[in-house]
Amino acid sequence: MSSHRGHAVGPATLFVFAMSVAGLAACGGGKTVTLPAVEPNQVQIFMPGQRPTEDYKPLKNIDITVDLNISNEELLTQAVQQAAAVGADALLVDKMGSNVSGTTGAVMSSGGAQQVKRQLQGRAIYYPAKHPELQEGNG
């Protein structure tokens, strides 16, 4: 009867391994960026067709769908709040509206009737130049 020691992996070993991988991912690739939340009034807004002149990187995709009785202004406010929560410098609005025949509207089927929804799709972004703590070599 042979005994194979060292082959069983316990929960503590798995936890240490997972934390090590998470630490390497955070410093090594620079792909996941975490910024402190900002006030919504600090987030610049770029509507469809507008883009910042500075270099930028994405933080989070924002996709919001609301009832038609919610105004575009309120929809935009919700998007800015989401962007501010992840520390974005700006919000790039790619699509916004409620046009059923266009690509900006979402049609929901409800009890056999079509219901138009108001939708916003965009991206929360940050400007690397404004965040020197995120530059290569600091992770």
Side-chain angles (χ1 to χ4, degrees):
M1 181 155 123
S2 67
S3 143
H4 293 90
R5 294 180 155 251
H7 290 281
V9 177
T13 304
L14 288 175
F15 177 76
V16 169
F17 175 75
M19 294 308 291
S20 298
V21 170
L24 287 173
C27 286
K31 297 186 196 280
T32 301
V33 173
T34 302
L35 295 172
V38 297
E39 291 297 318
N41 64 0
Q42 295 178 283
V43 177
Q44 290 181 301
I45 301 169
F46 293 92
M47 296 306 287
Q50 301 176 334
R51 290 294 176 258
T53 55
E54 298 179 60
D55 287 337
Y56 62 88
K57 297 204 181 267
L59 275 173
K60 176 185 178 183
N61 287 331
I62 295 179
D63 191 355
I64 302 172
T65 303
V66 296
D67 288 333
L68 195 56
N69 63 343
I70 303 294
S71 70
N72 279 338
E73 184 178 336
E74 177 58 28
L75 183 60
L76 192 57
T77 297
Q78 288 182 28
V80 168
Q81 288 171 346
Q82 285 189 23
V86 296
D89 293 316
L91 169 68
L92 301 184
V93 178
D94 295 318
K95 297 177 183 178
M96 185 168 90
S98 57
N99 186 353
V100 176
S101 61
T103 57
T104 58
V107 179
M108 308 301 234
S109 179
S110 174
Q114 290 185 336
Q115 185 178 4
V116 178
K117 296 283 189 175
R118 206 175 293 277
Q119 185 175 36
L120 180 145
Q121 294 176 336
R123 292 167 283 162
I125 63 162
Y126 73 99
Y127 303 123
K130 288 188 176 182
H131 303 279
E133 71 277 12
L134 301 176
Q135 300 304 317
E136 293 279 334
N138 291 340

